[in-house]
DNA sequence: AATGGCGTCAACCGCAGCCCA
DNA sequence: TTGGGCTGCGGTTGACGCCAT
């Protein structure tokens, strides 16, 4: 539609907010509630545009915002969700209610992107240095078996590491939320518009308030979702991109016979171990791989 | 002590979509 | 149906602080 910027007016202040401005804005919102941002500058006398007021509130002043370091669990969630949803920071932020989309976006751009790049470099080195012929399933399975020694929760299962299980209730609810978010994403892909029969296995999303005005996401089956959310598909998404990962999900078992995949459990462990200062979980990596400063 | 490079993050910009007259 | 107003979102910028030289 092409509108002129809202902040072009003469006399509109830009740049960092002062504490005085913050107080004025917070006081006004405490009295009138957030919303109707157009009226905020007019009613408060703030020399800011409505957009600037809204951003200041949503990204900084809003109650319940958690600031400071991201926990390993938050990092894992962001990586996982970014792989699933792409750069839809608002959607990702809906799973981390204490973090703003701006925060997550900044953290991704300044920390996680580099981490993943370094991780992939390490994996490349690893793949070059080994001709074991192990499939990615083999490697991940070995990783789980090894994990099981240290974490009995994993024993006897071929399931994602404990981080994905440590808060079952929250993760389960996230799974359902993701299903709704994913539908909009997948609907754009012809592959996912074909099977109308799966509508019978639809997740009811009528009572979901958390999406705000993300739009109404029609359903995706739990089966598809479980497939998409599995760690194996996570690896496909991270390393191949969402399109291939979707293809993986559709073929149920993801990786084709003989197609060698990097060991994703390394990433899992690395994310967890780095924060706690433990690196012993990477002992299976060859020396040249472990010589990477990030590993 | 000065300064240049780099990383971080708050804030801005511009586009897209929704709502309503 | 159309177009203007408003809000949400993602990409980008720029100020600031830290660190190495």
């Amino acid at each position: 539609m092409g509108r002129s910027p809202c902040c072009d007016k003469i006399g509109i202040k830009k740049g960092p907010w002062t504490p005085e401005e913050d107080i004025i804005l917070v006081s006004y919102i405490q009295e009138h509630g957030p919303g109707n941002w157009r009226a905020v500058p007019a009613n408060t006398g703030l020399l800011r545009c409505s957009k600037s007021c809204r951003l200041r509130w949503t990204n900084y002043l809003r109650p319940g915002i958690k600031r400071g370091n991201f926990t390993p669990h938050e990092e894992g969630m962001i990586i996982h969700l970014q792989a699933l949803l792409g750069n839809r920071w608002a959607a990702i932020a809906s799973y981390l209610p204490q973090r703003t989309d701006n925060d997550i976006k900044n953290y991704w751009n300044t920390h996680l992107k580099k981490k993943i790049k370094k991780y992939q470099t390490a994996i490349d080195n690893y793949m070059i240095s080994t001709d074991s012929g192990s499939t990615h399933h083999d490697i991940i399975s070995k990783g789980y078996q090894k994990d099981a020694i240290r974490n009995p929760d994993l024993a006897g299962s071929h399931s994602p590491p404990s981080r994905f299980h440590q808060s079952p209730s929250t993760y389960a609810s996230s799974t359902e939320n993701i299903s709704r978010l994913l539908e909009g994403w997948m609907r754009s892909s012809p592959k996912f518009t074909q099977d109308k029969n799966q509508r019978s296995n639809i997740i009811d999303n009528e009572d979901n308030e958390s999406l705000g005005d993300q739009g109404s996401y029609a359903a995706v089956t739990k089966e598809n979702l479980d497939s998409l959310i599995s760690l194996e598909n996570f690896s496909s998404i991270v390393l191949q991109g969402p399109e291939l990962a979707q293809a993986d999900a559709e073929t149920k078992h993801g990786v084709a016979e003989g197609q060698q995949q990097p060991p994703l459990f390394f990433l899992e462990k690395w994310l967890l171990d780095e924060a706690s200062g433990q690196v012993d979980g990477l002992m299976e990596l060859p020396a040249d791989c472990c010589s990477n400063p990030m590993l």
Side-chain angles (χ1 to χ4, degrees):
Chain A
M1 284 181 221
R3 291 186 300 118
S4 60
C6 67
C7 303
D8 275 357
K9 294 174 189 169
I10 296 171
I12 295 297
K13 190 178 171 187
K14 294 183 185 178
W17 282 63
T18 65
E20 290 79 14
E21 288 176 312
D22 283 344
I23 291 169
I24 292 170
L25 180 59
V26 169
S27 303
Y28 179 84
I29 291 173
Q30 277 179 342
E31 192 176 344
H32 298 91
N36 194 13
W37 296 107
R38 192 75 172 178
V40 173
N43 294 342
T44 60
L46 285 168
L47 299 175
R48 298 279 182 172
C49 68
S50 56
K51 191 184 237 180
S52 182
C53 294
R54 180 175 59 83
L55 279 173
R56 184 63 179 172
W57 172 257
T58 56
N59 288 338
Y60 202 87
L61 300 174
R62 181 166 52 93
I65 290 178
K66 181 178 167 187
R67 311 202 70 79
N69 293 340
F70 282 68
T71 66
H73 180 254
E74 287 174 318
E75 280 192 7
M77 286 288 287
I78 292 168
I79 291 171
H80 199 113
L81 289 164
Q82 202 277 343
L84 283 169
L85 302 171
N87 294 353
R88 294 173 57 189
W89 306 116
I92 293 170
S94 69
Y95 298 97
L96 300 163
Q98 295 178 310
R99 302 290 187 178
T100 68
D101 55 351
N102 208 34
D103 248 1
I104 293 169
K105 178 174 58 182
N106 283 332
Y107 192 69
W108 174 265
N109 287 331
T110 57
H111 293 91
L112 296 181
K113 221 153 74 171
K114 292 173 193 169
K115 276 189 178 183
I116 287 177
K117 191 175 179 181
K118 286 181 179 177
Y119 164 77
Q120 285 184 320
T121 302
I123 291 299
D124 289 345
N125 292 339
Y126 172 77
M127 298 309 285
I128 289 168
S129 68
T130 180
D131 58 352
S132 68
S134 297
T135 67
H136 121 283
H137 281 99
D138 294 337
I139 297 168
I140 287 178
S141 295
K142 286 176 190 169
Y144 288 157
Q145 287 162 16
K146 187 169 175 302
D147 275 355
I149 296 170
R150 297 196 308 178
N151 182 357
D153 290 346
L154 295 174
S157 70
H158 188 168
S159 56
S162 60
R163 183 161 57 75
F164 292 103
H165 286 238
Q166 58 194 5
S167 45
S169 59
T170 56
Y171 197 73
S173 63
S174 293
T175 299
E176 293 195 359
N177 285 337
I178 287 173
S179 72
R180 289 151 191 157
L181 288 167
L182 280 174
E183 172 60 17
W185 175 57
M186 290 191 296
R187 195 169 25 185
S188 65
S189 171
K191 295 171 188 170
F192 284 86
T193 60
Q194 293 169 358
D195 189 0
K196 305 285 185 186
N197 294 331
Q198 291 185 337
R199 297 278 170 191
S200 63
N201 195 15
I202 268 168
I203 299 166
D204 179 19
N205 62 1
E206 285 185 358
D207 59 349
N208 186 309
E209 299 291 333
S210 67
L211 290 176
D213 53 5
Q214 290 289 325
S216 62
Y217 291 88
V220 61
T221 65
K222 280 182 182 289
E223 187 181 354
N224 274 349
L225 182 65
D226 289 344
S227 185
L228 276 167
I229 280 226
S230 73
L231 184 64
E232 292 168 25
N233 277 295
F234 175 40
S235 70
S236 303
I237 292 164
V238 168
L239 297 162
Q240 301 173 6
E243 289 298 325
L244 282 174
Q246 287 183 42
D248 281 354
E250 289 177 308
T251 56
K252 302 284 187 194
H253 296 300
V255 182
E257 195 75 29
Q259 180 184 352
Q260 195 174 31
Q261 292 285 326
L264 248 292
F265 91 97
F266 289 155
L267 176 59
E268 294 289 314
K269 298 189 69 59
W270 163 61
L271 281 169
L272 291 169
D273 291 345
E274 187 186 48
S276 59
Q278 299 172 352
V279 292
D280 58 316
L282 298 173
M283 63 179 67
E284 288 184 2
L285 286 171
D288 58 334
C289 185
C290 290
S291 66
N292 185 305
M294 291 305 294
L295 299 170

